[in-house]
Amino acid sequence: MEVVLDEKDAGEWSYRGEGAVNLVLAYNGTRPEFVGKVLRIQKVPRNVSENGNGYSGLTKQECLLWKEYNEIVSAPTREIAQHYFVQHVMCPLLGFGHVDAGISIHVTREFLETVENNVLQQRPSSRVDAAKVNPLCDSAMLMSDHSVFPLGMCKEACSISVEIKPKCGFLPHSEFIAEDNAIKRSVTRFQMHQSLKLNEEKISEVSAYDPLDLFSGSRDRVRKAINNLFRTPQNNFRVFLDGSLIFGGLGGGADTTSCEVGEAFENSLKYVIQAPEGMRTQYFLELISKAVCSSGLLDRLLEVQKLNTTDIEGAIHAYYNVICQPCMVCEQLDKDQSSKNNNSLHSISMEESLKIVKDYLIAATAKDLSMIISFRPREDDNVESPYSIVSIESTNQSFDYKASFIDLDLKPLERMEYYYKLDQQIVSCYVQMVKSNHQLDHTGSTVEA
């Protein structure tokens, strides 16, 4: 019999978090088919009417872009298209063992409206203002809850997991990067974006996290990256104990880790890390670092991110080829800036343009996803485990661990213009900040003299 979630089921689902596109609910009931699962529910911007609810299938140009995947282009809704995108595009690239495409289940409007009311107080105000649950969806995506292990329950806390947004792990070297934007070749996108977010008062402190450290493969640099994520988690670092959030923000972010938050987190680790008080957090961060290095997942993720070889400054020209419209970027650039490289992109075939844009969007998904690593203390080292094993020598503990990717959203083709504008904004803000700091330093040295 087909499963349908109705109004009476809404109370068994609790708020886990959300991104720009979906609301994520965790199951807290007793039905076996839902235990260890989360539900992804589509959101819709508040400024979109119900008649234009964004729940139709792909656009004509998107169908052209993904034409080799029949199930994606024939999907009646974006939600279903998203499912097939993960299954047919991202799973083969990132590994079927590390990605769950989920299954679509039916939900009623009453279920969605009740869920929306139930979780309203837990959602960050910025997310509430921007979007609501789409009441016209008739389905949601049921997926594995990667923050817990599927086998059994323990007397004490039996699993602890960390969710990390790695971000882009390399510096672009595309020939299409304008000379004025050459800073992109030496400073990471994440670090530059921090300056813009600070300028827009979206964060109160710039993070010292450097994605290049996390992707480096060097244990010392990975440990440095994890420590910096812990100090300023923002929306890039969260920890769950048996599926319940114990560190980091829900749908928004947590700017910095205060002493009070750090002490509470240290105390919450007492059932997991067998170490004296004051040492548990550092041992846990060490555990994460070891698992990141030994899993090898970031190497695979980096390969997918590097599918984009042209940078957005090249891909945007291919985008206008795909939509068969005059290139707004070339019109905005003066003749000196509109280089031969850009002009050459408007001379390539439609197939070449489609490949550039498709690779850019796949890479964009890979740069924006999250990685979850879950740990479970091993009670008997002699028992074989289906999971990988990592140890903390200082506490003489071994842990089963599993690593997975989540939030592999299909990026809309129409977002290409937004990506280009945001990129220019990020670089411009960072360059201005560097100039301002240089002038302040220069003024300061003059005054001292």
Side-chain angles (χ1 to χ4, degrees):
M1 188 173 69
E2 186 179 28
V3 175
V4 179
L5 292 178
D6 207 342
E7 182 179 6
K8 67 180 185 304
D9 304 306
E12 296 182 329
W13 296 89
S14 60
Y15 184 77
R16 170 62 62 83
E18 63 187 287
V21 180
N22 297 288
L23 192 74
V24 181
L25 306 175
Y27 186 65
N28 53 25
T30 57
R31 291 172 64 176
E33 65 267 39
F34 295 136
V35 172
K37 301 289 184 181
V38 295
L39 197 66
R40 275 171 56 116
I41 297 176
Q42 188 190 57
K43 300 193 299 184
V44 64
R46 289 194 179 274
N47 58 4
V48 174
S49 67
E50 289 202 352
N51 290 330
N53 65 86
Y55 196 56
S56 58
L58 301 187
T59 65
K60 183 178 178 181
Q61 287 94 346
E62 285 177 320
C63 287
L64 183 64
L65 191 70
W66 303 106
K67 61 185 178 182
E68 63 193 276
Y69 304 100
N70 184 57
E71 288 182 302
I72 296 178
V73 300
S74 61
T77 67
R78 290 201 75 91
E79 179 74 14
I80 303 300
Q82 157 77 25
H83 166 71
Y84 287 123
F85 168 74
V86 174
Q87 186 177 53
H88 297 308
V89 179
M90 300 309 297
C91 278
L93 290 170
L94 294 173
F96 287 91
H98 303 292
V99 178
D100 177 16
I103 58 171
S104 179
I105 63 170
H106 284 286
V107 294
T108 65
R109 181 169 184 145
E110 292 75 20
F111 172 81
L112 295 173
E113 289 174 344
T114 305
V115 160
E116 169 124 65
N117 290 330
N118 289 350
V119 305
L120 188 62
Q121 298 302 317
Q122 294 169 277
R123 298 180 62 199
S125 58
S126 60
R127 296 290 194 188
V128 174
D129 293 341
K132 61 181 180 179
V133 169
N134 188 344
L136 298 186
C137 288
D138 60 3
S139 66
M141 202 59 61
L142 187 69
M143 313 177 80
S144 299
D145 184 350
H146 295 295
S147 70
V148 297
F149 281 80
L151 301 175
M153 296 295 291
C154 301
K155 294 178 182 178
E156 303 291 352
C158 64
S159 67
I160 188 166
S161 60
V162 60
E163 179 183 332
I164 298 171
K165 277 186 173 294
K167 297 300 184 180
C168 182
F170 70 99
L171 295 171
H173 294 287
S174 169
E175 61 186 301
F176 302 106
I177 296 174
E179 192 174 325
D180 289 347
N181 298 334
I183 190 72
K184 289 161 69 171
R185 295 189 174 99
S186 56
V187 181
T188 67
R189 163 68 172 249
F190 177 83
Q191 290 171 307
M192 288 193 289
H193 203 172
Q194 287 285 296
S195 297
L196 178 62
K197 288 182 176 181
L198 186 68
N199 190 53
E200 294 176 340
E201 298 183 350
K202 291 181 178 179
I203 57 174
S204 60
E205 181 181 331
V206 170
S207 173
Y209 168 63
D210 184 348
L212 299 186
D213 288 332
L214 191 69
F215 283 85
S216 67
S218 160
R219 182 151 299 180
D220 288 342
R221 291 183 66 188
V222 170
R223 178 63 184 273
K224 177 184 175 185
I226 299 299
N227 284 343
N228 285 331
L229 283 168
F230 179 77
R231 290 190 188 101
T232 49
Q234 297 179 3
N235 67 332
N236 304 309
F237 189 86
R238 303 197 297 169
V239 181
F240 298 87
L241 188 62
D242 277 345
S244 298
L245 184 74
I246 60 169
F247 183 82
L250 279 168
D255 264 11
T256 57
T257 302
S258 64
C259 290
E260 292 80 7
V261 169
E263 287 172 5
F265 182 67
E266 173 79 16
N267 185 59
S268 68
L269 293 175
K270 62 186 176 183
Y271 295 119
V272 183
I273 307 295
Q274 298 171 0
E277 190 170 344
M279 298 296 294
R280 299 177 194 128
T281 298
Q282 284 307 306
Y283 285 143
F284 178 62
L285 298 181
E286 179 186 323
L287 184 69
I288 298 170
S289 303
K290 285 187 173 183
V292 167
C293 290
S294 61
S295 71
L297 249 61
L298 290 183
D299 294 336
R300 195 155 186 171
L301 177 59
L302 189 60
E303 289 180 17
V304 183
Q305 292 184 353
K306 287 184 174 180
L307 286 175
N308 168 227
T309 59
T310 61
D311 190 75
I312 186 61
E313 293 189 50
I316 191 66
H317 299 282
Y319 163 74
Y320 282 108
N321 294 345
V322 169
I323 64 171
C324 302
Q325 295 289 328
C327 181
M328 300 300 291
V329 174
C330 286
E331 288 182 12
Q332 291 168 2
L333 296 173
D334 59 40
K335 291 182 179 179
D336 292 333
Q337 288 178 298
S338 188
S339 66
K340 291 181 180 179
N341 283 337
N342 294 342
N343 294 333
S344 70
L345 282 170
H346 292 295
S347 303
I348 62 177
S349 68
M350 177 59 78
E351 287 302 315
E352 289 174 299
S353 296
L354 288 167
K355 185 178 188 316
I356 288 173
V357 175
K358 184 172 65 176
D359 285 347
Y360 178 86
L361 292 175
I362 292 172
T365 294
K367 293 171 186 175
D368 203 33
L369 55 68
S370 294
M371 177 173 67
I372 289 188
I373 306 177
S374 299
F375 303 92
R376 179 176 62 183
R378 287 177 59 78
E379 296 176 358
D380 187 350
D381 285 339
N382 295 320
V383 176
E384 284 193 23
S385 171
Y387 302 102
S388 301
I389 299 172
V390 65
S391 302
I392 305 178
E393 288 79 9
S394 303
T395 65
N396 197 30
Q397 284 180 279
S398 294
F399 295 80
D400 290 326
Y401 81 90
K402 57 175 183 168
S404 310
F405 292 115
I406 61 170
D407 300 337
L408 294 91
D409 296 321
L410 171 61
K411 304 299 184 184
L413 177 62
E414 64 186 21
R415 294 281 284 177
M416 289 293 291
E417 291 181 6
Y418 166 78
Y419 292 143
Y420 177 78
K421 290 173 183 175
L422 178 62
D423 183 74
Q424 299 299 298
Q425 194 179 3
I426 287 171
V427 175
S428 175
C429 180
Y430 185 79
V431 169
Q432 287 300 316
M433 182 209 69
V434 171
K435 285 181 180 177
S436 298
N437 289 345
H438 178 72
Q439 289 171 354
L440 285 172
D441 291 343
H442 182 71
T443 303
S445 62
T446 305
V447 170
E448 287 174 10

